[in-house]
Amino acid sequence: MNTIIELSYILAAALFILGLKYMSSPASARKGNLMAAVAMFIAIVVTLLDRQIISYTWIIVGIILGSIIGATSARMVKMTAMPQMVGIFNGFGGGASALVAIAEFFKLSQNSNLPMDSSITIILGVIIGGVTFTGSFIAFGKLEGFISGSPVTFPLQNVVSALILIVMLVLSVYIIGWEANWLFFYIIIGLSLLYGVLFVIPIGGADMPVVISLLNSFSGLAACAAGFVVKNDILIIAGSLVGAAGLILTQIMCKAMNRSLANVLFSAFGTGDMAAGGTTAAGDKSVHSIDNEEAAMVMGYAQSAIIVPGYGMAAAQAQHAVRELTELLQGRGVDVKFAIHPVAGRMPGHMNVLLAEANVPYNLLYDMDDINPEFAHTDVVLVIGANDVINPAARNDTTSPIYGMPILDVDKARNVIIVKRSLNPGFAGIDNELFYNPKTLMYFGSAKEKIQELVSEVKKL
Amino acid sequence: MPEGLLMSITVFVLAMFVGFEVITKVPPTLHTPLMSGANAISGIAIIGALLVTGRGNQYIDLIVGVVAVVFATINVVGGFLVTDRMLHMFKKKTTEK
């Protein structure tokens, strides 16, 4: 029986790897997800057959309850709310791993002599899992709007965080090296939960792609730690796959912002006080604003157009209107493409999911590196709710806080229409010289209304 | 160092490398589904939760274990379903266009 269980775990591990591999192409991705789900199912079923398990009642209750909550939220969630959904699922995964480690601590520490390898992995599991748990809930709150999306800071924040880490370290060393003190263990649980809050709360909304990716990685590593704790390789394998995936995404996101991970996590970017360098007095500069009719003329009579979506499109839920506009323009013979910046939105690939929901064919979507050479010979660029990712200061102004960040070369196109509520600076808190460029047309209003109005005007042409 | 632990560390290191190799190839279009799919996989902690709950020898195991089972199941079921929903949207276009 044990051999069968072990073999099934290996089968599940192989399916997890294959599933992730299949995820690398849109055509096979759905199958990949299904394979991973099957792998999970196999792992769960063989575990239930394990002789170590003697009571099933509460397991069944737990599974039914979890399935109902999970399935309902997965069905109800709107595509625009996907970042917070992924965030909160992450938190539950991390929480589960921490709880497994906690239960194991209570079991092992009863005969007072906790082997060193168990105590190390238990503490790692509790800390990583605990941080993931509360960190994800804070990320969820920020994305959902319960908590301010801008960085929340207080005096000596970094000092307090460092102190917490030191206390956790000291207590851990005591538990590992001397005795399994329950009080100290409770304090470690509490501090890791607190640290999760402090870790995410100073990070601003537009940096969420990095945070969500990192928490994703943590939830994997927490599962890994739980695997070491219960001495089960399938947890270690699946956990490290997720850990690796999250780390890669984190790296891609940081690179796309030209900032180090440490800078994203600890600098409370976007509070505004660091903007001084890049800001030039805007008072003497004028902007050219246009109405619906003019915008429709520019778009409708262009030969080529590139649409640049940003978080503003997601926030206004304008993706369906954008699809309608795209089809209308295509019907008039305009060559329409989409330029997607890697950190547009609140999580990696956010724009792609929204446009897919609105039925925009994914072959119209281009990554930054592929589309940048095309701006120079494009008639018009329509920017919807994006700002920092098109700010030429990242290229020209060495004093700007975003200098060096790869941007979409929108300013090279013949005309630029920017849909925006006001001239307020974007997340990084810096002015955008592109707004004052003579070829830029500001189209003021909420993304959804403006695009809908644009659609009806283009129809009249 | 206990032999079992050494084995586990070997598995951990190798699996990390496999993860890096397999995932670097995912195109940006699929980053969100990849993330939410991977996220569902991290619900593998459910195995640990089942073992803890099922050994049923302690009150504390039962309480902590059941909560862990609920959490992990939310992660697994919700994660896979939501990923499937997203990928379904991507698939639609290939057949229509």
Side-chain angles (χ1 to χ4, degrees), chain A residues 78-112:
Chain A
K78 282 196 190 127
M79 281 300 148
T80 37
M82 206 45 91
Q84 47 268 50
M85 193 82 248
V86 173
I88 204 150
F89 284 156
N90 249 331
F92 282 121
S97 301
L99 289 170
V100 170
I102 291 171
E104 207 64 17
F105 178 85
F106 288 134
K107 181 190 160 205
L108 292 177
S109 63
Q110 263 154 10
N111 42 13
S112 78

Side-chain angles (χ1 to χ4, degrees), chain A residues 391-402:
Chain A
N391 192 341
R395 223 171 32 221
N396 312 326
D397 182 0
T398 47
T399 62
S400 169
I402 59 165

Side-chain angles (χ1 to χ4, degrees), chain B residues 21-77:
Chain B
E21 276 307 305
V22 173
I23 291 148
T24 15
K25 290 167 198 144
V26 176
T29 310
L30 290 174
H31 277 164
T32 296
L34 166 74
M35 184 170 241
S36 92
N39 173 31
I41 294 177
S42 72
I44 189 75
I46 193 173
I47 304 300
L50 295 178
L51 293 173
V52 167
T53 318
R55 67 186 175 212
N57 45 359
Q58 293 277 331
Y59 234 171
I60 190 102
D61 273 352
L62 205 59
I63 298 167
V64 178
V66 171
V67 177
V69 170
V70 175
F71 279 10
T73 314
I74 294 177
N75 189 195
V76 169
V77 174

